[in-house]
Amino acid sequence: MSPKHKLITTVWCSITMVATMVLSHGHLILREVMTHWPEQESWEGRFETALYTQGGLVFVASFVVGGALLIRSYFTRMSDEELKRKELAQREKHERATATRHEALMGTLANSVNAKASVVGSDQRSASKKSHASGARPR
């Protein structure tokens, strides 16, 4: 997974987590704000009281989601390493097979060149022998 995809995944998971927390616990936090409305004079005090009562749930949920992301990244890294090992082994196997085919081809070409050279050499020898045998003078 590329760094760009990792960043996009992390941002998307964070946004999803915040949205889930707001949807699932927003009504509880709002209820706490309304319950402590008369006791507190400021919005900060009302939200602080609400977050202290519901903050534990949010912390546990964020801890679970963070742990899940860490475990997921660990297994993703392990699978990426396994994939790299398999690709490297496949590439080495392909290179060995290619080298073997190349050596076989070069051996075949060398044998065919040697065979042609011996055929050409024997034709020249037989032609010179024929000229001597016929009684013609060599030049």
Side-chain angles (χ1 to χ4, degrees):
M1 185 180 251
S2 69
K4 180 182 176 183
H5 288 136
K6 287 181 183 179
L7 180 63
I8 290 171
T9 302
T10 304
V11 169
W12 179 249
C13 289
S14 300
I15 290 170
T16 306
M17 182 184 71
V18 169
T20 304
M21 290 299 108
V22 167
L23 291 174
S24 65
H25 294 92
H27 69 283
L28 298 173
I29 293 171
L30 188 59
R31 186 182 71 189
E32 291 293 327
V33 167
M34 298 311 273
T35 302
H36 298 290
W37 187 272
E39 299 171 7
Q40 303 294 332
E41 293 85 25
S42 67
W43 278 101
E44 290 86 8
R46 293 181 185 115
F47 278 123
E48 184 178 325
T49 304
L51 290 177
Y52 280 148
T53 56
Q54 296 299 322
L57 291 174
V58 174
F59 173 74
V60 169
S62 64
F63 185 72
V64 167
V65 170
L69 285 173
L70 286 175
I71 291 170
R72 179 181 172 269
S73 68
Y74 172 75
F75 284 113
T76 302
R77 188 173 358 140
M78 295 298 287
S79 66
D80 286 345
E81 289 174 0
E82 182 66 25
L83 183 64
K84 285 180 184 177
R85 277 194 294 257
K86 286 181 181 178
E87 287 177 354
L88 182 62
Q90 186 177 12
R91 186 179 309 125
E92 288 176 352
K93 182 180 175 183
H94 176 72
E95 288 175 357
R96 284 193 302 269
T98 303
T100 304
R101 283 194 307 268
H102 179 73
E103 289 174 3
L105 179 64
M106 293 305 287
T108 304
L109 288 175
N111 289 339
S112 68
V113 167
N114 288 338
K116 285 181 183 179
S118 65
V119 168
V120 169
S122 67
D123 285 345
Q124 287 177 351
R125 287 183 200 149
S126 65
S128 65
K129 286 182 182 178
K130 286 181 185 176
S131 65
H132 287 52
S134 66
R137 289 187 218 166
R139 294 185 184 185

